[in-house]
């Protein structure tokens, strides 16, 4: 557990240093628990998620970085690889392809890449996956855009 704390503290310092370097990711550690983090990620450009800001919750195990963090969307998102109700993310690096070389910041980058390049063949959201698999790109994009506007658009005023 001491090694995981040291690693997370190091990542925390890097996040503070890199804030201006990666404006699409805002990673924040819980004040009272270094094993709980949240992130705000911007929807990738030229996707139905563009203009949206999505909140992620990280639960980091005490065996980190030997085990991956649990990450889920807190913001509703219409995406084939994200469970609509729970926010669970189907991404290989969060399961069997995890490596201790990954950081919480690089996990956020991988999730943004997944948003831009969905994998409809391993869906957690079957409605979304079926639209893409059947070739209804317009239907998928309009649903994804609608949920982005409803759930992930910054409030004005």
């Amino acid at each position: 557990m001491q090694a995981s704390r040291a690693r997370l503290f190091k990542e925390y310092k890097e996040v503070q240093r890199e804030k201006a370097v990666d404006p699409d990711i805002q990673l924040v550690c819980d004040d009272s628990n270094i094993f709980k983090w949240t992130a705000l990620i911007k929807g990738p450009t030229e996707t139905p998620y563009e203009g949206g800001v999505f909140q992620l919750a990280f639960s980091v195990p005490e065996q980190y970085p030997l085990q991956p963090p649990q990450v889920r969307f807190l913001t509703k998102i219409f995406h084939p690889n994200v469970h609509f109700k729970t926010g669970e993310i189907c991404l290989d690096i969060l399961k069997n392809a995890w490596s201790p070389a990954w950081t919480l910041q690089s996990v956020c980058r991988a999730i943004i890449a997944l948003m831009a390049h969905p994998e409809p063949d391993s869906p957690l959201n079957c409605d979304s996956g079926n639209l893409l698999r059947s070739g209804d790109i317009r239907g998928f994009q309009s649903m994804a855009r609608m949920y982005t506007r409803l759930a992930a658009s910054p409030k004005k005023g």
Side-chain angles (χ1 to χ4, degrees):
M1 182 159 138
Q2 199 57 38
S4 59
R5 280 184 191 279
R7 165 72 181 259
L8 286 167
F9 190 66
K10 181 178 173 218
E11 287 191 38
Y12 176 78
K13 287 198 275 195
E14 281 175 25
V15 164
Q16 300 308 312
R17 240 191 343 266
E18 288 185 19
K19 272 185 181 163
V21 178
D22 202 342
D24 294 341
I25 300 169
Q26 187 181 345
L27 199 53
V28 180
C29 178
D30 183 289
D31 287 339
S32 60
N33 185 348
I34 198 157
F35 294 100
K36 300 279 183 221
W37 294 63
T38 55
L40 293 175
I41 59 173
K42 289 184 182 168
T45 56
E46 297 180 22
T47 72
Y49 311 109
E50 184 173 7
V53 176
F54 299 84
Q55 187 174 19
L56 303 172
F58 285 76
S59 181
V60 182
E62 291 183 1
Q63 296 78 14
Y64 181 82
L66 300 177
Q67 288 184 357
Q70 287 185 319
V71 188
R72 64 186 184 91
F73 275 87
L74 295 178
T75 308
K76 290 276 183 235
I77 182 172
F78 187 76
H79 188 286
N81 309 112
V82 180
H83 192 284
F84 190 74
K85 284 195 169 78
T86 65
E88 177 190 350
I89 303 165
C90 181
L91 183 59
D92 61 351
I93 64 151
L94 296 175
K95 308 271 188 294
N96 55 350
W98 174 257
S99 158
W102 287 90
T103 64
L104 301 182
Q105 184 92 3
S106 60
V107 167
C108 288
R109 285 192 201 103
I111 291 170
I112 292 171
L114 181 69
M115 290 169 75
H117 304 285
E119 296 286 342
D121 292 331
S122 62
L124 283 174
N125 179 331
C126 291
D127 293 336
S128 175
N130 288 341
L131 284 171
L132 286 174
R133 280 200 307 260
S134 69
D136 189 356
I137 306 300
R138 181 184 283 175
F140 163 75
Q141 289 183 335
S142 81
M143 288 291 291
R145 258 193 304 278
M146 179 187 79
Y147 278 105
T148 297
R149 276 200 301 272
L150 288 173
S153 294
K155 307 289 181 259
K156 294 182 175 48

